[in-house]
Amino acid sequence: MSRKPKKLLNNPNDVPAEQLEGLIYACGDKLIKVEGYSGVYRNDIKADQVVVVTGGGSGHEPMFAGYVGKGLADAAALGEIFASPSPDIIIETTKAAQKGQGVLFVYGNYAGDNMNFDIAAELLEEEGIQVKTVRVTDDISAAPLSRMSDRRGVAGDMYVLKIAGAAVEAGYDLDKVHEVTAKANFNTRTMGVALGACSIPQTGKFNFELADDELELGMGIHGEPGVRRQKMASADEINGEMIERLCADIELKAGDKVCVTINNLGASTYTELLIANRKVHQVLSECSIQIHDTLIGGYCTSQEMAGYSITIFRLDDELQKLYDMPCDSFAWRK
């Protein structure tokens, strides 16, 4: 008999709505639900600010609604598990949040999200709401650097949202928020490793098969193919290859300053994450790369997928100033 995912749920079809209700309860009165739609926005958006709207499929909690808060995103539109929000969800969420100073869409680069956010942007523009977009493309496993615009958006979304939200708090106008957010995306790289499969609650099945003695390097957060499937290996061997690939892709050099995230995809232990962080810090130190900040935990998960991703975010003076500004959301406070 094949193994099945084991979750404590009510009706599997109600999972996205119920997890969103739980998030809103957890945030007290800081988040407002968009009436009739799967979207939320901050209760304290200023009257004269650019608004940052994010979104994507549910199932990656705390991404995306968990990053709605001061100094991060202002609103999030959410789809079903691993599915894009529809254009009407995006439109109504944006209308609820926007203040007439323009809107920046920030979301991961997936075909469904691209289509639905583009449709929403076009319809909002027809109603006089100015919209610009940054698609996050941090997953180096998805395409070569020469086709960076084809890469997927994964855990690096959080850094890009952090910079967008901080730029808004700093008083940037829409053009400048867009410009510095695009720079943050260009300076972000991620690579993941999967040891076990994720699932969609409605199906009650794992999305793919990965043998007990195998791992997949570079697998995406929905189970998209990685760069290689192989027999299990040591942590240092796999983590060393991941950080070396990341450093080469972003062309880090001695003296550069970075932030590092070790992101739990759902079912890995802190022991594994900390061992990964040990190797990452050793390699960066050997290369004279300065680590400005380190985050370890579940920031962009994939249900019960076993494994984690490593993200490198390269700073310059402007990005560091914005990164160091405070933020306050369910998923990230500083």
Side-chain angles (χ1 to χ4, degrees):
M1 186 173 69
S2 61
R3 192 170 64 92
K4 292 184 177 181
K6 189 176 182 181
K7 295 176 183 291
L8 190 58
L9 302 173
N10 298 308
N11 184 336
N13 293 321
D14 294 336
V15 167
E18 290 185 352
Q19 63 84 13
L20 183 58
E21 288 179 27
L23 175 70
I24 293 171
Y25 282 130
C27 293
D29 60 355
K30 294 180 179 178
L31 296 185
I32 300 173
K33 174 86 162 51
V34 181
E35 188 66 32
Y37 295 90
S38 181
V40 292
Y41 59 101
R42 290 171 51 194
N43 74 344
D44 58 348
I45 300 174
K46 293 180 290 189
D48 59 348
Q49 69 162 85
V50 174
V51 167
V52 176
V53 178
T54 188
S58 299
H60 303 297
E61 286 68 35
M63 194 75 72
F64 293 88
Y67 293 92
V68 176
K70 184 179 177 64
L72 289 159
D74 298 299
L78 307 169
E80 295 293 320
I81 302 291
F82 298 170
S84 170
S86 61
D88 62 327
I89 296 174
I90 301 166
I91 289 170
E92 295 304 321
T93 301
T94 302
K95 285 182 175 179
Q98 70 94 23
K99 298 297 182 183
Q101 301 302 312
V103 174
L104 180 68
F105 285 166
V106 180
Y107 55 89
N109 184 41
Y110 295 92
D113 292 304
N114 295 348
M115 179 179 70
N116 290 343
F117 272 94
D118 281 352
I119 291 171
E122 184 175 338
L123 295 175
L124 288 164
E125 292 271 5
E126 290 178 359
E127 297 189 35
I129 299 172
Q130 187 179 10
V131 178
K132 289 183 176 287
T133 295
V134 172
R135 293 172 179 159
V136 182
T137 56
D138 57 312
D139 189 349
I140 69 170
S141 307
L145 184 58
S146 60
R147 293 192 290 113
M148 187 175 178
S149 61
D150 292 338
R151 289 176 170 177
R152 302 180 287 254
V154 286
D157 283 353
M158 58 183 289
Y159 286 123
V160 183
L161 285 171
K162 176 71 184 73
I163 296 305
V168 169
E169 289 295 321
Y172 287 26
D173 64 19
L174 179 59
D175 286 341
K176 289 186 177 178
V177 173
H178 177 263
E179 180 182 349
V180 75
T181 303
K183 181 169 69 172
N185 178 52
F186 183 76
N187 280 15
T188 305
R189 301 287 193 280
T190 297
M191 188 169 197
V193 59
L195 285 72
C198 56
S199 72
I200 297 176
Q202 290 91 332
T203 68
K205 299 178 180 177
F206 289 109
N207 278 21
F208 56 90
E209 296 292 334
L210 191 58
D212 289 343
D213 62 346
E214 288 183 331
L215 60 82
E216 182 152 343
L217 190 65
M219 177 168 276
I221 58 174
H222 309 101
E224 296 94 337
V227 298
R228 185 177 75 240
R229 185 171 287 201
Q230 66 168 72
K231 296 296 183 183
M232 289 293 291
S234 73
D236 277 1
E237 181 180 339
I238 296 302
N239 295 320
E241 179 176 348
M242 291 169 70
I243 188 60
E244 287 169 7
R245 282 176 176 260
L246 289 166
C247 289
D249 194 275
I250 201 170
E251 299 179 339
L252 285 183
K253 59 183 183 302
D256 281 345
K257 187 181 295 185
V258 300
C259 297
V260 173
T261 294
I262 312 295
N263 170 60
N264 190 350
L265 289 168
S268 289
T269 64
Y270 264 102
T271 296
E272 294 168 282
L273 304 182
L274 290 168
I275 289 172
N277 188 52
R278 163 187 164 274
K279 185 63 176 180
V280 169
H281 276 241
Q282 287 176 347
V283 170
L284 293 178
S285 177
E286 290 167 1
C287 297
S288 299
I289 308 298
Q290 182 179 346
I291 299 175
H292 180 67
D293 195 18
T294 300
L295 301 172
I296 298 176
Y299 294 94
C300 179
T301 60
S302 187
Q303 296 298 293
E304 67 279 75
M305 183 186 285
Y308 50 84
S309 58
I310 300 170
T311 298
I312 297 292
F313 177 45
R314 181 175 57 199
L315 299 170
D316 61 16
D317 290 343
E318 181 183 36
L319 293 176
Q320 182 176 336
K321 182 179 179 181
L322 294 170
Y323 179 82
D324 286 340
M325 290 176 65
C327 63
D328 183 9
S329 75
F330 172 78
W332 196 357
R333 296 185 179 93
K334 62 177 296 186

